[in-house]
Amino acid sequence: MTATPVTLREFAAQVRSGRLAGDALVKHAGDQIEHRNGTLNALVCSRSTNAQQEAATSDWTDRPLAGIPFTVKDMLATADLPTTCGSRTLENWSAGVDATAVARMRAAGAVLMGKSNCPEFALGVDTNNELFGRTFNPLGEWTPGGSSGGEAAAIAAGMSLVGLGSDYGGSIRWPAQCTGLVGLRPTVGRVPRSGEQPTLPGADPLGVEAVSFQDAVQVIGPIGRSIDDMHTVLSVISGPDGIDPVAVDEPLGHYREVDPRDIEVRWGTHIGNVPVDPEVVRTVLFAVEALRSSGTRVQEGLPDAVNDGLHVYDLLRAADAMSTIAALNTARPGLIGAPVRAMLGNRTEPGRAERAALWEHRNQIVAKLRQWLTGERALILPVSVDIPRDLHGDVANFPLLAPSRAISLFGFPSLSVPVATTHSGAPISVQVVAPPFREDIALALGAALEQASEGVPTTTLKNRIPDAN
């Protein structure tokens, strides 16, 4: 008997070699779905039976994710499962095709287990909607986060080993924190958004809209159990697909080739005047000292552009036309839930000149941050201003994610990595931000923090996965 693998690469290697049965991991995930999803409501639909048949009969030769069970947020198109975005306007709707990122995962040997719950149209910091109800955190009484909260809860509960979420203002980073997982928001353009929903009624489900602020900053990225898993999945789903005009062919460096001692870090605990919980502050300080001890050069004080970013993000989000959602509301009136109806009603209506000025302001701030955040440099700051708590299904507490929202404006890569726990046992993460297309820098610092925080429960499944024989 050999040691149980703890990363996706190791699991897949065991499957390819035959030391682990091709369907062993999928069977285990299916068991967790059967026994736990009824209570947690993490997945809104499952293909567990088909997944086991697929895993038992597949040829795993040369497939980097051989036999790995994965789940997908219900915002990404899937050929054989509905894609509803948690909205009654899309109840039972099927795209009939896989989003590019989903197709790439499957081509690499990963086996789709099901679709995970999210707030309606992914607009929320808790996971609750009128179509499927509320998702609960398998770790405790606090929120699983949003909007990829169902995805994070599914992984934390063992229903999959890794998953795909989307991030607009923290929707990967915050749920990862709430469930003690690692979440990566890639650079805008690293991963094609083809197949991200909703699309306009009657439009190509793989088409990529370019009409809103959300379209400009939202990304698809992985949530999982380790830094190494983030790199493994990112290497599979990255690169242009000929559909998304923003997706580019940028080399993906390997985090193991980056020495944390060569990185210069600026850090801070506050964004603007938003109060920050003392436990969050202590977590950032712990992370900074851990990096300092590993030889990373650290300097207190975030660039001014980061504080400016939150204000501009909020202005642009408030001015977002939400045209696709509005069109669905017109096509199927009366079906959109109260939180999203309120957002539609609270939109500002700037004129063309005012909107152009907002975008120009955004471009200036991005350029300002890029003057410092370049080369071997990074930022450390909180994911959220508060610790994970029970939000009682309230999806609209957006100020909670001020640090994540500020970073979203820039489109730079950002990693959420767990480094501590609260007095109540809830995980707290820090956010590591790197220059554009330098995910390897964020992951290298994340690996250093991962090593420094080995005693922190991160919901690894190494004691609950079948041993390799």
Side-chain angles (χ1 to χ4, degrees):
M1 181 166 303
T2 60
T4 303
V6 295
T7 69
L8 299 180
R9 287 187 306 107
E10 292 168 336
F11 279 126
Q14 297 279 20
V15 170
R16 288 194 301 270
S17 69
R19 284 177 287 175
L20 189 63
D23 60 352
L25 300 172
V26 170
K27 282 183 176 179
H28 176 80
D31 288 344
Q32 299 305 305
I33 293 172
E34 180 179 354
H35 294 127
R36 306 195 70 184
N37 196 53
T39 300
L40 298 175
N41 193 34
L43 299 184
V44 298
C45 57
S46 167
R47 61 183 298 275
S48 183
T49 300
N50 289 343
Q52 292 183 42
Q53 294 172 351
E54 178 183 327
T57 58
S58 292
D59 178 6
W60 300 125
T61 306
D62 297 328
R63 302 179 79 180
L65 294 177
I68 299 295
F70 81 112
T71 40
V72 173
K73 183 178 182 178
D74 194 26
M75 295 291 294
L76 304 183
T78 45
D80 46 356
L81 290 173
T83 304
T84 70
C85 303
S87 177
R88 291 187 295 159
T89 63
L90 293 172
E91 187 171 6
N92 296 321
W93 181 80
S94 178
V97 64
D98 284 332
T100 294
V102 175
R104 288 175 173 176
M105 290 288 287
R106 294 176 114 167
V111 181
L112 180 63
M113 302 302 298
K115 304 291 286 290
S116 57
N117 202 17
C118 60
E120 188 171 18
F121 297 120
L123 297 172
V125 300
D126 194 18
T127 296
N128 188 34
N129 60 61
E130 294 182 6
L131 179 59
F132 297 116
R134 189 179 175 196
T135 294
F136 296 90
N137 193 324
L139 301 189
E141 297 301 316
W142 54 89
T143 176
S147 61
S148 304
E151 191 55 48
I155 299 165
M159 300 177 196
S160 65
L161 284 179
V162 72
L164 297 179
S166 60
D167 191 304
Y168 178 14
S171 290
I172 286 174
R173 292 161 285 171
W174 165 239
Q177 172 175 258
C178 292
T179 52
L181 298 168
V182 184
L184 177 63
R185 173 191 165 88
T187 309
V188 169
R190 169 70 76 186
V191 178
R193 288 182 51 233
S194 313
E196 188 175 53
Q197 302 303 310
T199 47
L200 291 168
D204 179 357
L206 289 182
V208 177
E209 304 294 335
V211 296
S212 72
F213 176 57
Q214 182 173 3
D215 296 325
V217 302
Q218 187 159 274
V219 298
I220 295 170
I223 302 174
R225 302 175 306 121
S226 73
I227 297 297
D228 196 73
D229 291 354
M230 297 297 95
H231 188 271
T232 298
V233 172
L234 192 60
S235 66
V236 166
I237 63 177
S238 294
D241 64 349
I243 303 172
D244 182 356
V246 176
V248 296
D249 186 11
E250 284 283 342
L252 176 63
H254 201 295
Y255 72 97
R256 295 184 188 276
E257 298 173 358
V258 177
D259 190 336
R261 293 172 295 184
D262 295 332
I263 302 173
E264 180 183 355
V265 169
R266 291 181 64 173
W267 65 274
T269 57
H270 289 69
I271 302 295
N273 298 318
V274 183
V276 182
D277 185 273
E279 290 192 273
V280 173
V281 172
R282 285 195 291 271
T283 299
V284 173
L285 294 174
F286 169 82
V288 169
E289 287 308 309
L291 291 177
R292 192 195 308 273
S293 297
S294 70
T296 301
R297 291 167 290 154
V298 299
Q299 175 187 347
E300 184 175 2
L302 296 169
D304 291 339
V306 176
N307 288 315
D308 296 338
L310 176 61
H311 177 62
V312 176
Y313 177 96
D314 288 343
L315 289 175
L316 282 167
R317 181 161 183 165
D320 197 325
M322 299 175 68
S323 56
T324 303
I325 296 173
L328 287 169
N329 187 43
T330 300
R332 302 196 68 189
L335 296 182
I336 284 181
V340 177
R341 286 202 310 273
M343 293 177 207
L344 285 170
N346 291 334
R347 289 172 296 164
T348 61
E349 296 292 341
R352 180 177 299 179
E354 184 181 356
R355 189 182 299 276
L358 277 175
W359 277 101
E360 178 58 26
H361 193 185
R362 186 251 183 180
N363 293 339
Q364 291 173 358
I365 293 173
V366 172
K368 184 178 178 182
L369 183 58
R370 289 192 72 159
Q371 289 177 359
W372 187 85
L373 192 54
T374 185
E376 306 292 309
R377 288 176 169 174
L379 307 176
I380 300 288
L381 65 160
V383 170
S384 62
V385 300
D386 199 2
I387 64 174
R389 303 181 190 275
D390 187 351
L391 299 180
H392 303 286
D394 176 16
V395 302
N397 185 12
F398 295 113
L400 173 69
L401 300 187
S404 290
R405 288 156 69 90
I407 295 303
S408 289
L409 178 85
F410 300 97
F412 296 176
S414 177
L415 177 74
S416 174
V417 54
V419 296
T421 55
T422 69
H423 288 101
S424 62
I428 310 183
S429 301
V430 297
Q431 184 178 184
V432 185
V433 184
F437 298 103
R438 291 305 308 271
E439 288 86 355
D440 57 336
I441 289 178
L443 292 171
L445 292 178
L449 291 172
E450 191 175 60
Q451 184 175 3
S453 310
E454 286 183 347
V456 177
T458 57
T459 63
T460 58
L461 305 179
K462 60 186 177 184
N463 295 321
R464 291 185 280 150
I465 292 293
D467 284 338
N469 295 298

